[in-house]
Amino acid sequence: QEEETLSDVQAEEVIYTLLSSDGTPSLSYSVVTLISDSNGIAEHYGNYTEVLNLSGSEKPEYTDGKIRIPVNKGKTYYQGKLNETALPWSFQITYTLDGNTISAKELAGKSGELSINIKTAKGPYENEWYYNNYMLQITVALDGDLCSNIVSDGGMIASSGSNKTIACSVLPGS
């Protein structure tokens, strides 16, 4: 017996993008929360190369941009690896070590006073609505065993195990 396809499922979506050391997007994925008042099958849409059920072992069906996934009453989560990494923002990451500009590749094995500067700007993404209406959160993880005396201009610093995490928010349109 085939389960009922639910029509009242709500969705929340967060896009995560990993940046290379210079700020170029390298991988984007979406984590979707499906919220339902009953058990059944939810249909959702996305442009993915692969889809992973984060709430159970059942493999979602994914064909021509349509995901069919079993949901239980409450929240069900899935992750989709996006086909493209186009973003409404562009990023430029620069590094200085002891006051001298240095590339990320040259940093390996070095020690000294490191400064990381991340600059954001409106990107080439065609739909400006996202840039003007969505907040951007930038998170940087540093190895707490290798980095000390960490300060951030406008960012919040937190411990995550032995790592130090710096989180900065960029308001819509800025």
Side-chain angles (χ1 to χ4, degrees):
Q1 178 181 356
E2 188 171 311
E3 286 189 76
E4 174 187 359
T5 299
L6 304 172
S7 61
D8 63 343
V9 177
Q10 295 181 344
E12 297 173 354
E13 183 173 17
V14 177
I15 304 295
Y16 296 90
T17 299
L18 301 176
L19 303 177
S20 65
S21 61
D22 68 355
T24 305
S26 61
L27 169 70
S28 290
Y29 60 96
S30 172
V31 174
V32 177
T33 305
L34 300 172
I35 306 162
S36 177
D37 290 330
S38 56
N39 298 339
I41 299 292
E43 291 183 347
H44 198 247
Y45 299 88
N47 192 10
Y48 305 121
T49 58
E50 58 187 62
V51 177
L52 176 65
N53 183 347
L54 300 176
S55 293
S57 59
E58 303 91 351
K59 185 174 169 110
E61 294 176 27
Y62 179 64
T63 307
D64 296 327
K66 181 167 78 171
I67 297 102
R68 289 181 46 86
I69 185 169
V71 296
N72 294 317
K73 183 177 181 177
K75 295 181 179 180
T76 301
Y77 304 90
Y78 79 83
Q79 176 179 300
K81 183 176 175 185
L82 295 166
N83 277 334
E84 61 178 282
T85 58
L87 296 172
W89 301 272
S90 64
F91 304 89
Q92 180 183 11
I93 304 174
T94 55
Y95 308 86
T96 59
L97 184 64
D98 296 327
N100 299 310
T101 301
I102 189 169
S103 72
K105 190 179 240 183
E106 294 172 306
L107 277 173
K110 302 272 192 308
S111 63
E113 185 175 322
L114 173 65
S115 176
I116 302 172
N117 184 33
I118 302 173
K119 180 180 178 183
T120 63
K122 188 173 106 181
Y125 194 69
E126 293 176 16
N127 190 340
E128 291 183 21
W129 188 87
Y130 294 100
Y131 174 80
N132 291 319
N133 291 282
Y134 275 62
M135 182 186 85
L136 170 67
Q137 180 177 317
I138 300 170
T139 305
V140 177
L142 301 171
D143 185 328
D145 294 331
L146 299 175
C147 302
S148 60
N149 301 321
I150 299 168
V151 295
S152 175
D153 183 18
M156 184 175 133
I157 302 170
S159 294
S160 178
S162 65
N163 289 337
K164 292 292 187 180
T165 302
I166 304 169
C168 302
S169 297
V170 180
L171 296 177
S174 63

